[in-house]
Amino acid sequence: MKRSTTGTTHPALLPAPVHMDAAPGAGCTLDAGTALAAGPGTATTERWLRTTLGGALDLPLPPGRAGAPGTITLTVNPELPAEHYRLDTVDGSVRITGGDPAGVFWGAQTLRQLLGPDAFRRAPIAPEGGRSLPAVRIEDGPRFGWRGLMLDVARHFLPKDDVLRCLDLLAAHKLNVFHFHLTDDQGWRIEIERYPRLTEIGSWRPRTKWGHRASELWDETPHGGYYTQDDIREIVAYAAARHIRVVPEIDIPGHSQAAIAAYPELGNTDAVDTSALEVWDSWGVSPHLLAPTDATLRFYEGVLEEVLDLFPVEVSPFVHLGGDECPKDEWRRSPTAQARIADLGLADEDALQSWFLRHFDDWLTARGRRLIGWDEILEGGLPGSAAVSSWRGYAGGVAAAEAGHDVVMCPEQQVYLDHRQHGGPDEPMPIGYVRTLEDVYRFEPLPPGLSPEAARHVLGTQANVWTEVMQNRARVDYQVFPRLAAFAEVAWSRLPAPAERDYAAFETRMTAHYARLDALGVDYRPPGGPLPRQRRPGVLGRPIDGVPPQR
């Protein structure tokens, strides 16, 4: 009889698999004699098992014969759905069968969890000896095809090694989309060879607001950095080897002050002195946006030509162009913008933004890519093939899905991980609503009342990490974990309705998962509250009281 791991068949697996059975026969032991047989299409998992799992447990994993005792056998069986897998640990051997190469890889992630927290280290610490596994059969596959994390590296730059580590953490939680927020008012983080001032000027700001934008505190240390094109290629290749898609974000037409600081002609020069602009040193919504001129269109076509070269379509079918938080006062004051509205016969400035984005929707479509943007791109008319990241609650995503557009659900009030995790006074730089581990576990990506046809347009869900008050990797760790583990289960597992979810059982499994996070060196928020070094006393935040709206 099949039993769900949301019960007690195995206390450690996370996200919970669809089914886990105790299998007849003996289990198996992995030791120095264990071999690895990798069938066609499983090379990425073969390499990962030898380098990561083998390195942690001192297992050389020499080549072996498929199905033989003492062997880990990797196989692709296209009769299984994409990303699904079966994992058997019976009679002295391990067999992982996936519906595609990604499915095999997710099966290997489950095997790692079965082997205990030491399997998450970089080098062996235990005495020599085997690792015993019970005889089990696991059958598993994801609920959603888009299971993502957005990381903002524009507000605070994270070095390349921190990004690679983030990809490893996504893979460990069976998340498969990395939304890479590369440009904003506070910094431009990607090298564009034909426009060198984007990084020479646009990647550095002289100082940084310390805390919320209303804070009187400043960090006077210049802040910046960027990824070279080779860095980007390495990040993309690293993600691809872990079956993670990368969605690069280049913000237009708002959130562009860093680009305008580097190239003032990109801004509305007839409405403001753009030559006086610098990379922004504070937070919020900048009033400065791109000019709707042919020269600006050509400039960003040049940017995107290099972006598409760095993010090949196999890894990055979507390109995110922002489109959010775009105040249009400059366009209202700009004779050039007003003339463009009149020449195109547009109704207003919202329609001008839609025209701007439609241009790049057509441009990307002609090159085999798809535009995705924040839900403000619905204003003035949604470009034909564009997808929507629904962040201002569910409403934008519902409207887009009901109109036949694909949607990623990432409502701020539910899965913005910069929001505080507790209402206590020790939370560092508290932002937004309280969103506890349990709150995230009870998040439901599909809102009630969505029609079945519209529900098919919900590609999946994504947690977002905005780094205004996350100055380094440790602060990112604190805000993201352990809540990302709950989010991963919501995105992967077929859970009951939110009120019916067994949070107590999830907490039990989290006890084992904290040991994995410890082994990985993740500086998560402890269940009992922040450690003294994790607090930021006296730094102003923006806490919001009450229950967040569910709309």
Side-chain angles (χ1 to χ4, degrees):
M1 177 179 178
K2 292 182 177 179
R3 295 170 291 173
S4 169
T5 53
T6 53
T8 58
T9 53
H10 196 286
L13 294 184
L14 193 155
V18 175
H19 293 294
M20 180 170 175
D21 298 327
C28 62
T29 299
L30 303 190
D31 56 26
T34 300
L36 177 60
T42 68
T44 53
T45 302
E46 177 188 16
R47 286 193 295 271
W48 182 86
L49 283 170
R50 286 205 173 98
T51 58
T52 302
L53 194 63
L57 300 178
D58 196 22
L59 301 175
L61 299 177
R65 181 170 58 84
T71 302
I72 301 172
T73 301
L74 310 178
T75 308
V76 171
N77 180 356
E79 293 183 3
L80 291 175
E83 294 197 275
H84 286 58
Y85 69 89
R86 287 198 300 262
L87 170 61
D88 297 283
T89 59
V90 180
D91 293 336
S93 65
V94 176
R95 181 180 292 276
I96 302 173
T97 304
D100 58 2
V104 176
F105 186 70
W106 304 135
Q109 295 296 329
T110 298
L111 174 64
R112 187 190 197 186
Q113 291 194 15
L114 289 170
L115 288 166
D118 287 355
F120 290 78
R121 297 188 177 275
R122 289 194 176 95
I125 62 170
E128 291 185 6
R131 299 285 171 146
S132 296
L133 293 170
V136 297
R137 162 167 277 205
I138 296 170
E139 298 183 16
D140 199 13
R143 179 186 181 193
F144 291 109
W146 186 301
R147 308 179 302 280
L149 179 81
M150 189 286 304
L151 179 64
D152 166 25
V153 295
R155 273 51 176 269
H156 278 100
F157 177 70
L158 287 174
K160 179 194 68 178
D161 283 353
D162 289 348
V163 176
L164 299 178
R165 172 180 177 267
C166 179
L167 293 169
D168 280 330
L169 291 171
L170 295 188
H173 291 83
K174 298 187 175 75
L175 297 172
N176 69 341
V177 176
F178 178 57
H179 178 165
F180 203 9
H181 185 81
L182 288 163
T183 75
D184 217 295
D185 299 306
Q186 296 84 3
W188 185 283
R189 306 295 180 214
I190 178 172
E191 179 186 27
I192 303 297
E193 291 179 345
R194 71 187 75 183
Y195 303 128
R197 296 211 309 267
L198 287 172
T199 46
E200 290 171 0
I201 296 172
S203 70
W204 288 94
R205 57 180 183 261
R207 63 176 187 168
T208 298
K209 178 65 72 173
W210 183 242
H212 183 251
R213 60 180 176 270
S215 168
E216 297 181 354
L217 302 177
W218 293 89
D219 181 347
E220 298 291 347
T221 306
H223 180 85
Y226 66 92
Y227 308 102
T228 68
Q229 294 207 349
D230 280 346
D231 290 339
I232 294 290
R233 292 185 181 98
E234 181 182 357
I235 289 166
V236 170
Y238 199 84
R242 285 148 183 79
H243 300 277
I244 296 171
R245 287 174 284 159
V246 183
V247 180
E249 181 174 355
I250 306 294
D251 262 315
I252 62 170
H255 285 294
S256 298
Q257 185 167 328
I260 297 169
Y263 291 91
E265 64 271 21
L266 294 174
N268 296 282
T269 57
D270 56 354
V272 65
D273 180 10
T274 58
S275 66
L277 293 180
E278 297 181 335
V279 178
W280 208 14
D281 57 10
S282 190
W283 317 126
V285 179
S286 169
H288 305 296
L289 68 165
L290 300 172
T293 63
D294 290 344
T296 299
L297 297 180
R298 300 292 89 75
F299 183 97
Y300 274 85
E301 286 172 1
V303 168
L304 290 171
E305 283 176 2
E306 295 193 26
V307 168
L308 297 192
D309 181 62
L310 295 169
F311 295 88
V313 67
E314 306 82 46
V315 183
S316 302
F318 286 89
V319 176
H320 207 292
L321 294 186
D324 62 315
E325 296 180 327
C326 184
K328 301 177 177 68
D329 290 344
E330 283 187 359
W331 282 355
R332 294 185 183 97
R333 300 197 310 268
S334 164
T336 301
Q338 292 302 309
R340 181 67 100 178
I341 289 173
D343 291 344
L344 294 170
L346 301 175
D348 54 20
E349 290 77 17
D350 285 344
L352 182 61
Q353 177 176 343
S354 180
W355 166 83
F356 203 102
L357 289 164
R358 283 179 186 274
H359 172 85
F360 287 103
D361 181 57
D362 292 340
W363 190 92
L364 288 169
T365 298
R367 289 157 180 80
R369 307 297 179 100
R370 290 187 64 189
L371 183 151
I372 185 169
W374 303 109
D375 56 59
E376 286 95 330
I377 68 174
L378 290 160
E379 299 166 3
L382 188 63
S385 63
V388 170
S389 301
S390 187
W391 76 274
R392 295 180 300 176
Y394 292 103
V398 169
E402 295 287 0
H405 290 273
D406 289 339
V407 173
V408 176
M409 288 294 188
C410 49
E412 174 187 15
Q413 303 91 330
Q414 310 300 325
V415 289
Y416 268 35
L417 300 184
D418 45 308
H419 283 214
R420 58 196 173 131
Q421 305 185 60
H422 191 275
D426 292 331
E427 292 305 307
M429 301 185 194
I431 299 295
Y433 294 100
V434 172
R435 293 286 84 192
T436 65
L437 182 67
E438 182 173 359
D439 291 330
V440 175
Y441 189 66
R442 297 193 189 280
F443 163 62
E444 173 50 49
L446 291 181
L450 197 64
S451 71
E453 177 60 31
R456 285 191 281 272
H457 284 286
V458 177
L459 301 176
T461 185
Q462 178 174 294
N464 292 340
V465 180
W466 300 103
T467 60
E468 288 93 337
V469 297
M470 300 183 216
Q471 299 80 22
N472 51 43
R473 187 179 89 181
R475 281 287 291 122
V476 172
D477 276 5
Y478 179 90
Q479 291 299 133
V480 171
F481 291 96
R483 292 182 294 180
L484 192 70
F487 174 80
E489 183 145 309
V490 168
W492 177 277
S493 304
R494 290 158 177 80
L495 299 176
E500 299 170 7
R501 293 175 188 173
D502 190 346
Y503 181 69
F506 174 78
E507 275 194 306
T508 298
R509 286 181 289 122
M510 277 302 301
T511 301
H513 200 65
Y514 285 121
R516 297 183 194 120
L517 297 179
D518 287 333
L520 288 165
V522 176
D523 204 9
Y524 57 87
R525 182 190 188 277
L531 302 172
R533 62 176 170 76
Q534 294 172 322
R535 301 167 187 162
R536 298 292 184 273
V539 182
L540 186 68
R542 187 182 62 90
I544 304 174
D545 294 329
V547 178
Q550 299 295 310
R551 60 182 184 276

